[in-house]
């Protein structure tokens, strides 16, 4: 039976209107509503369902971030996760934090916690990197099943159906493995009130990246963050020939 | 342990109609508003309570808010019973009831938070929830015998059954003690004759707490009232037409008819002729929890109006930046914040066992009247659009007005508070 490590990220809530900071250094996060990354909710749901189906013995949620990341972990605990690990990253380190660092942290934790499975959301809705699952698998030298829309457990093997541009791809991976959850994998549950109250008693461990031997070193620098350009007006063309000519002019044909 | 498992299993099996997000950013138009954030730190909510608010907010905004306009228009909620079961699986229906009978062992503050967020999503359905969870479930939890709690609470907490409470009659509103519904003892049962009016959930409820006169000739009329638990389907009990109301639409309100209705004596809630204690002590907590209704409506008014005045441009700038509009939104915000603070304070006092009749009456008196004002302000902020039913502000006003009437009119509340103050100086 598997021990499952689930990575969750605290991001700006999907319903919030994003505002760019006037100094173009990033987006406004102060006082803005945050929640668990929606794809991570799906990952947590999958892990909890595995436990309910007795395919997993223990589910551990991990989050890298400031103190408020503990709220996200508590949501995971209320959904049915057994214990939580908060890797505290604050200040300058938080600005520098990238998927590469998170992957190193997850890889180390996967080894420390003797995980058989690492599940994360396919990407975070704030940076849309879509890198953590892949890099974590590479660091651990484990097989990966990304964009999973269906996971079936066999004997030491997982059958994953992946949603890719061309359609659906089915792969078989040997465990231990790293998976990333896509939208249609499942529909996450709402935490019930009794479970929210029970979550209080579940263990939440606090660590730093240093404890795990990971240095948050900057590999890139954010030069500027701007709003996407305002949509320009189009023009109506009289016939197809004019359209074709315009497309050629614009270098699109 | 197993009941919790059952709850989460029920959760994962039930059909939540979550609006899926295409790609990475949500493209759904959420009514016409973003949300005006609530700073829970100012109101002293601890982490658990903040998480509770988050959870129920997400649930109600996804599962209820999108249907609110239609429910109000048609005065009907077709998926009411399914929604009730979802409420049950979340643990909200028996929030203050004992977990021994399927409740959640929660506090009155928890109850207020849930009521507030539901009212923010759909005022009408929230009142049905309040009537079920506080007027019916909480009363049975507080006053019922072991047998009664075991018989009635589990299905009420799970959402399989709906609850209601009936005290008002066509001829007995503010003067509730003058009720005429008779309960005549006949051995080991009573026959009830008469009717009740303005009963929330009346047309739907399976379990009803009903107050009747067992001793119409008592020296003091209040000492002739007894509370009974009545079941739909009991011989002689029927419901009449659904009322077509100004607001709180979708919450079915109706008349109850008792024609030689046979109710077993073991269904007496509390003691014979001592029903008035059940009634009045329940009324204090009813006022507390229902006061969260207008607070939710004020929050919804701010959600809609604040967003609107920052989007709507006239004379080259958002109208929210003109002084007279700034004044209005400032007052709306202040009314909301003050109401919420008082509500939570009184809730905490009740949770500590210190139920103050004066403060419970005061909190609903204040919140209700503020909500009507704030809703009117919201309509004004939206200008012409506030007058069109495509926008929710009209509904907020119509829903808010009820709270100045139900659970004791503002006038009665003032009398209660005044008299209570007089007592201090006797």
């Amino acid at each position: 039976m598997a021990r499952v490590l689930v990575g969750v990220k605290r991001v700006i809530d999907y319903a919030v209107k994003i505002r760019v900071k006037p100094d173009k250094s990033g987006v406004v996060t102060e006082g803005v509503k945050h929640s668990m990354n929606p794809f991570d909710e799906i990952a947590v749901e999958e892990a909890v369902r595995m436990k309910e189906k007795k395919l997993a013995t223990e589910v551990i949620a991990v989050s890298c971030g400031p103190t408020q990341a503990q709220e996200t972990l508590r949501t995971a605990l209320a959904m049915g996760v057994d214990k939580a690990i908060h890797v505290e990253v604050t200040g300058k380190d938080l600005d520098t934090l990238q998927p590469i660092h998170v992957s190193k942290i997850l890889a180390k934790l996967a080894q420390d916690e003797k995980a058989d499975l690492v599940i994360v959301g396919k990407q975070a809705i704030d940076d849309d990197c879509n890198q953590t699952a892949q890099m974590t698998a590479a660091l651990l030298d484990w097989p990966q099943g990304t964009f999973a829309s269906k996971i079936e457990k066999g004997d030491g093997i997982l059958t994953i159906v992946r949603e890719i541009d061309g359609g659906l791809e089915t792969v078989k991976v040997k465990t231990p493995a790293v998976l990333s959850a896509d939208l249609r994998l499942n529909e996450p549950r709402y935490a019930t009130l009794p479970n929210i109250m029970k979550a209080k008693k579940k263990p939440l461990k606090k660590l730093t990246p240093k404890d795990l031997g990971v240095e948050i070193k900057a590999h890139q620098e954010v030069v500027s963050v701007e709003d996407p350009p305002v949509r320009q007006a189009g023009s109506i063309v009289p016939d197809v020939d004019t359209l074709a000519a315009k497309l050629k002019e614009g270098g699109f044909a | 342990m197993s009941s919790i498992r059952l709850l989460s299993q029920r959760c994962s099996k039930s059909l939540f109609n979550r609006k899926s997000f295409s790609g990475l950013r949500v493209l759904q138009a959420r009514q016409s508003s973003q949300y005006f954030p609530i700073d829970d730190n100012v109101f002293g909510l601890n982490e658990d309570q903040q998480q509770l608010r988050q959870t129920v907010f997400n649930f109600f905004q996804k599962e209820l808010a999108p249907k609110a306009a239609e429910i109000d228009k048609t005065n009907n909620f077709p998926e009411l019973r399914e929604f009730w079961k979802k409420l049950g699986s979340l643990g909200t229906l028996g929030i203050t009831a004992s977990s021994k009978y399927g409740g959640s062992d929660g506090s009155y503050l928890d109850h207020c938070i849930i009521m507030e967020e539901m009212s923010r999503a759909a005022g009408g359905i929230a009142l049905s929830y309040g009537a079920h969870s506080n007027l019916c479930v909480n009363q049975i939890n507080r006053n019922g015998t072991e047998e009664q709690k075991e018989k009635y609470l589990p299905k009420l907490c799970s959402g399989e059954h709906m609850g209601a409470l009936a005290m008002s009659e066509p001829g007995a509103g503010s003067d509730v003690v003058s009720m005429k519904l008779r309960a005549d003892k006949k051995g080991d049962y009573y026959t009830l004759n008469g009717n009740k009016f303005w009963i929330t959930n009346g047309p739907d409820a399976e379990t009803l707490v009903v107050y009747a006169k067992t001793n119409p000739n008592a020296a003091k009329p209040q000492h002739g009232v007894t509370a009974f638990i009545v079941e739909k389907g009991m011989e002689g009990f029927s419901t009449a037409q659904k009322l077509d109301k100004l607001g709180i639409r979708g919450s079915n309100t109706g008349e109850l008819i008792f024609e030689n209705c046979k109710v077993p004596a073991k269904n007496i809630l509390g003691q014979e002729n001592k029903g008035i204690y059940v009634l009045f002590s329940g009324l204090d907590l009813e006022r507390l929890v229902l006061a969260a209704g207008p607070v939710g409506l004020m929050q919804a008014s701010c959600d809609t109006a604040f967003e609107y005045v920052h989007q709507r441009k006239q004379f080259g700038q958002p109208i929210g930046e003109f002084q007279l509009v700034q004044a209005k939104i400032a007052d709306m915000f202040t009314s909301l914040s003050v109401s919420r603070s008082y509500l939570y304070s009184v809730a905490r006092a009740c949770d500590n066992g210190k139920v103050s009749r004066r403060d419970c009456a005061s909190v609903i008196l204040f919140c209700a009247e503020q909500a009507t004002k704030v809703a009117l302000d919201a309509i004004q902020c939206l200008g012409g659009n506030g007058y069109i039913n495509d926008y929710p502000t009209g509904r907020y006003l119509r829903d808010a007005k009820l709270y100045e009437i139900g659970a004791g009119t503002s006038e009665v509340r003032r009398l209660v508070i005044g008299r209570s103050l007089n007592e201090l100086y006797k």
Side-chain angles (χ1 to χ4, degrees):
Chain A
M1 281 225 276
R3 289 173 57 80
V4 185
L5 192 72
V6 184
V8 297
K9 185 179 181 185
R10 178 179 177 260
V11 297
I12 295 178
D13 187 84
Y14 72 85
V16 167
K17 202 184 287 180
I18 308 291
R19 276 177 243 275
V20 175
K21 284 202 262 205
D23 65 2
K24 294 196 175 182
S25 62
V27 297
V28 177
T29 52
E30 190 72 38
V32 169
K33 181 163 174 229
H34 286 67
S35 345
M36 191 190 294
N37 183 35
F39 295 109
D40 297 343
E41 281 180 0
I42 297 173
V44 170
E45 174 67 23
E46 195 61 24
V48 173
R49 285 190 192 184
M50 280 187 178
K51 203 178 119 181
E52 287 168 351
K53 285 190 235 170
K54 302 244 194 309
L55 300 171
T57 42
E58 197 180 21
V59 181
I60 305 161
V62 182
S63 192
C64 305
T67 325
Q68 297 98 314
Q70 291 188 12
E71 290 163 21
T72 312
L73 287 169
R74 244 174 270 118
T75 308
L77 289 169
M79 284 172 75
V81 160
D82 299 301
K83 65 181 214 222
I85 299 174
H86 171 216
V87 181
E88 193 167 32
V89 181
T90 51
K92 270 258 111 200
D93 281 349
L94 187 59
D95 296 329
T96 320
L97 190 69
Q98 286 286 303
I100 181 69
H101 309 113
V102 177
S103 306
K104 287 182 180 166
I105 290 170
L106 288 181
K108 182 73 174 50
L109 283 170
Q111 286 164 334
D112 289 349
E113 296 288 332
K114 300 202 186 13
D116 302 295
L117 204 55
V118 176
I119 316 185
V120 295
K122 71 172 178 182
Q123 63 201 68
I125 61 172
D126 52 8
D127 54 25
D128 292 335
C129 284
N130 191 333
Q131 298 168 357
T132 306
Q134 293 85 335
M135 287 199 276
T136 310
L139 289 167
L140 287 167
D141 199 23
W142 285 4
Q144 57 186 263
T146 52
F147 308 102
S149 66
K150 191 151 179 229
I151 302 174
E152 256 160 35
K153 197 162 195 296
D155 225 344
I157 267 198
L158 289 168
T159 308
I160 319 283
V161 175
R162 309 177 59 225
E163 283 196 14
I164 59 176
D165 288 346
L168 299 174
E169 181 188 59
T170 309
V171 297
K172 283 193 161 65
V173 295
K174 284 197 203 138
T175 52
V178 178
L179 307 178
S180 78
D182 206 331
L183 186 65
R184 278 163 279 274
L185 178 59
N186 61 46
E187 218 173 300
R189 65 193 62 190
Y190 292 101
T192 65
L193 304 189
N195 282 349
I196 292 174
M197 296 188 216
K198 284 204 157 24
K200 266 198 286 186
K201 307 199 183 94
K202 294 185 184 175
L204 198 156
K205 191 162 64 171
K206 214 163 88 168
L207 295 170
T208 63
K210 224 187 206 167
D211 295 334
L212 300 165
V214 176
E215 194 194 335
I216 312 290
K217 199 167 71 162
H219 293 280
Q220 57 196 57
E221 183 197 334
V222 172
V223 175
S224 105
V225 176
E226 294 167 16
D227 275 306
V230 178
R231 195 180 165 191
Q232 299 299 315
S235 60
I236 302 205
V237 291
D239 54 35
V240 179
D241 290 330
T242 322
L243 175 64
K246 286 226 170 212
L247 286 172
K248 280 215 182 85
E249 246 176 74
F252 297 112
Chain B
M1 254 319 144
S2 59
S3 60
I4 284 86
R5 213 135 203 262
L6 211 56
L7 283 172
S8 27
Q9 273 170 2
R10 238 184 274 159
C11 235
S12 57
K13 280 190 200 140
S14 63
L15 310 159
F16 289 119
N17 298 326
R18 270 199 164 189
K19 279 207 172 81
S20 59
F21 18 80
S22 58
L24 321 162
R25 285 269 171 269
V26 166
L27 305 172
Q28 67 184 28
R30 204 184 284 266
Q31 322 292 86
S32 58
S33 65
Q34 282 283 321
Y35 303 105
F36 172 61
I38 302 173
D39 185 352
D40 277 331
N41 296 308
V42 175
F43 304 106
L45 291 195
N46 64 29
E47 275 160 0
D48 290 337
Q49 289 153 349
Q50 292 183 30
Q51 195 175 19
L52 171 62
R53 189 203 282 292
Q54 268 319 296
T55 305
V56 295
F57 167 77
N58 286 335
F59 178 73
F60 296 137
Q61 289 303 318
K62 287 205 172 84
E63 307 284 334
L64 184 60
K67 304 178 184 162
E70 188 64 22
I71 293 173
D72 175 67
K73 199 170 189 178
T74 57
N75 194 18
N76 186 34
F77 185 15
E79 305 111 326
L80 177 68
R81 303 310 295 245
E82 277 164 53
F83 182 71
W84 228 244
K85 296 212 183 81
K86 289 183 193 174
L87 285 180
S89 65
L90 264 190
T92 58
L93 292 179
I95 179 70
T96 46
S98 164
S99 50
K100 196 171 161 199
Y101 314 103
S104 305
D105 290 328
S107 64
Y108 287 113
L109 182 52
D110 293 332
H111 204 168
C112 287
I113 294 169
I114 300 171
M115 180 73 187
E116 187 190 325
E117 288 296 338
M118 201 184 302
S119 190
R120 181 188 194 175
I125 305 303
L127 189 69
S128 276
Y129 164 73
H132 172 111
S133 55
N134 175 272
L135 275 62
C136 183
V137 172
N138 196 43
Q139 282 293 65
I140 296 177
N141 188 59
R142 289 173 71 236
N143 300 292
T145 61
E146 199 60 32
E147 203 191 320
Q148 288 167 341
K149 290 193 271 195
E150 272 171 18
K151 180 169 183 192
Y152 295 107
L153 288 183
K155 290 212 169 102
L156 285 169
C157 293
S158 73
E160 213 179 312
H161 279 181
M162 269 185 98
L165 179 138
M167 55 169 89
S168 305
E169 294 179 4
S174 293
D175 186 7
V176 73
V177 167
S178 73
M179 64 175 79
K180 295 258 175 328
L181 173 70
R182 283 183 67 119
D184 297 308
K185 189 160 184 173
K186 302 234 190 301
D188 65 351
Y189 65 90
Y190 288 76
T191 36
L192 270 59
N193 276 291
N195 46 6
K196 293 293 186 191
F197 203 55
W198 299 301
I199 307 305
T200 302
N201 298 341
D204 306 293
E206 278 84 16
T207 308
L208 303 95
V209 174
V210 179
Y211 293 92
K213 275 276 172 73
T214 33
N215 186 0
N217 302 315
K220 284 203 177 140
Q222 57 265 39
H223 291 155
V225 176
T226 306
F228 292 89
I229 303 178
V230 174
E231 291 172 42
K232 186 185 213 172
M234 273 180 175
E235 188 191 318
F237 172 64
S238 61
T239 61
Q241 77 293 17
K242 198 163 87 168
L243 300 174
D244 175 22
K245 307 189 299 293
L246 172 66
I248 306 284
R249 291 167 66 78
S251 166
N252 297 335
T253 316
E255 183 175 4
L256 307 181
I257 298 170
F258 299 85
E259 288 168 310
N260 291 322
C261 174
K262 283 174 76 169
V263 180
K266 66 177 167 114
N267 273 29
I268 291 187
L269 191 61
Q271 291 169 309
E272 195 187 21
N273 292 323
K274 296 266 169 69
I276 211 67
Y277 301 105
V278 175
L279 193 156
F280 279 122
S281 63
L283 211 41
D284 295 331
L285 297 165
E286 173 185 343
R287 285 173 182 155
L288 169 71
V289 174
L290 290 193
V295 174
L297 290 170
M298 282 190 268
Q299 179 66 43
S301 299
C302 292
D303 287 343
T304 303
F306 293 6
E307 170 75 8
Y308 185 89
V309 301
H310 290 100
Q311 296 278 37
R312 172 78 175 173
K313 285 200 170 90
Q314 288 286 269
F315 307 109
Q317 66 181 86
I319 62 173
E321 290 172 15
F322 294 126
Q323 280 189 335
L324 294 177
V325 179
Q326 283 175 329
K328 206 176 287 298
I329 60 178
D331 287 337
M332 287 170 75
F333 168 72
T334 307
S335 292
L336 168 61
S337 304
V338 169
S339 301
R340 185 180 276 130
S341 293
Y342 193 25
L343 174 68
Y344 291 0
S345 290
V346 181
R348 280 189 199 102
C350 291
D351 285 330
N352 286 333
K354 311 260 189 278
V355 180
S356 156
R357 173 148 299 168
R358 186 161 57 234
D359 289 285
C360 290
S362 212
V363 75
I364 193 172
L365 170 65
F366 187 75
C367 293
E369 293 189 339
Q370 287 305 304
T372 307
K373 277 200 200 97
V374 168
L376 282 169
D377 284 339
I379 293 175
Q380 192 69 11
C381 286
L382 267 64
N385 280 334
Y387 213 62
I388 299 178
N389 285 330
D390 287 348
Y391 289 81
T393 41
R395 181 180 90 233
Y396 300 154
L397 174 67
R398 286 183 288 108
D399 286 346
K401 188 60 184 164
L402 176 281
Y403 287 102
E404 291 184 54
I405 300 170
T409 59
S410 294
E411 289 74 20
V412 167
R413 294 166 193 168
R414 288 191 160 90
L415 292 179
V416 168
I417 298 165
R419 284 185 202 145
S420 154
L421 291 168
N422 291 152
E423 283 299 305
L424 293 179
Y425 292 89
K426 280 225 162 82

